[in-house]
Every structure is written in structure tokens, then in C-alpha cells.
Amino acid sequence: MDDIESLYREPCPWRIVDDAGGGFAIGAIGGGIFSFYKGIRFSSPGFKSRAWSGVQALKARGPVYGGNFAVWGGLFSTMDCCLMSLRGKEDPWNSVVAGATASGMLALRTGMVGMIGAAIGGAIILGLIESIPIAMTRYQATQQREMTFQQAPDPSILGKQDVSTLHRH
């Protein structure tokens, strides 16, 4: 693994714990904000009543969202580590397949159709997430190539008249 990701990712056994904890934090914060808004929106009128309902909804549902995200993050990392071990390399395909597998496994109790739909959705989302850095790298590489071709000419090969016109601007 020679990419930039190797600089900030944990080795595989610890990656599972790290991703589960990160998933819990993201889910608890994002789910808490969502729950707080929902509690405010569907409460009786009045500032005090709305604020109290928002706080109660945040306390009730925020940790649940955090736990859901933690389970998905841990399962995703477990699948990613298994695929990395089986294939012997780390590339974006591992993440896409791990996202599909994790999403499909979490939707097992909805039946085969729901499981396949969740797996396809997980693969699409992870495919989009993994394709953004690849597209950005390619875009930056083409920009770098264009910049190297547009360098200023060497003044030693220009005539004296051309050099004087360059200094006027």
C-alpha cells in the first residue's frame, strides 16, 4: 500500500476498532443533531417545550444512531481487512465490496430482495466515495502536465529585443 491512506490508517486488527469508534462518533453527533431537530419540530409550541423535547429526543435517539453507525463501521472494516488478507493487496475494490457486504449483512432480516438492494446501495455509495480521490488525482496530474508545458521560455535562447519586451510587462 503506497498511497497516502497508509499514512493515517491503523493496521488491520486495530482498524476495526478505530472505524467502529469513528462510526459511533459520527452517528451519535449526526443522529443527535437530527433527533434534536425532530424533537423540536414535532413538539408543542413554546420555546421551553420545544427545547425540552429536542433534548429528550437527542438523549433517546442519539446513542442509537451512534450504535448503528458503529456496527456498520466495524462490519465494514472487518470485511475490508478480510478482503485485504484474501486478495493480498489494498485497493478501492476492497472498500466497494466491503461496503456491499456490510450493507447486505445488516439487511439480512429484510429478506433476499432487501439484502440485495442494500448491498447494491452500499456498493454504489462506496464506489462514489472511492472514485472521488481517483478522479481528483487524475485531474491534478493533467493540470501538472499542462503547467510543465506552459513554462516561460529560456531567456538565453531569445534575442535581445525579445528579452527587453519581456521585462516591460
Side-chain angles (χ1 to χ4, degrees):
M1 178 164 100
D2 294 332
D3 58 332
I4 193 76
E5 189 175 312
S6 65
L7 299 175
Y8 64 88
R9 292 290 304 242
E10 294 286 332
C12 222
W14 302 110
R15 183 180 298 184
I16 298 166
V17 176
D18 189 41
D19 285 351
F24 181 81
I26 290 169
I29 293 169
I33 292 169
F34 175 74
S35 298
F36 183 77
Y37 171 73
K38 206 169 160 187
I40 286 174
R41 186 160 185 245
F42 295 114
S43 68
S44 57
F47 177 76
K48 191 173 182 180
S49 174
R50 288 182 188 265
W52 182 251
S53 295
V55 169
Q56 291 301 321
L58 183 144
K59 286 171 35 179
R61 297 296 300 165
V64 174
Y65 285 117
N68 291 343
F69 272 74
V71 168
W72 188 89
L75 194 55
F76 168 78
S77 291
T78 302
M79 293 297 118
D80 194 28
C81 288
C82 288
L83 287 168
M84 192 176 6
S85 176
L86 287 172
R87 295 183 67 216
K89 61 182 175 177
E90 187 170 358
D91 61 357
W93 286 108
N94 288 350
S95 296
V96 172
V97 172
T101 307
S103 299
M105 289 176 90
L106 289 176
L108 260 171
R109 60 187 182 160
T110 63
M112 188 60 80
V113 175
M115 186 179 81
I116 291 171
I120 290 171
I124 289 171
I125 290 171
L126 265 296
L128 290 172
I129 290 170
E130 290 293 328
S131 66
I132 289 171
I134 294 169
M136 291 299 294
T137 303
R138 287 186 180 170
Y139 176 74
Q140 289 173 349
T142 58
Q143 292 296 325
Q144 187 66 30
R145 265 185 270 148
E146 288 175 10
M147 287 178 64
T148 56
F149 291 132
Q150 295 177 357
Q151 289 180 351
D154 186 15
S156 64
I157 62 171
L158 296 175
K160 290 183 180 180
Q161 187 178 20
D162 292 330
V163 173
S164 63
T165 58
L166 286 175
H167 291 295
R168 285 186 207 160
H169 298 289

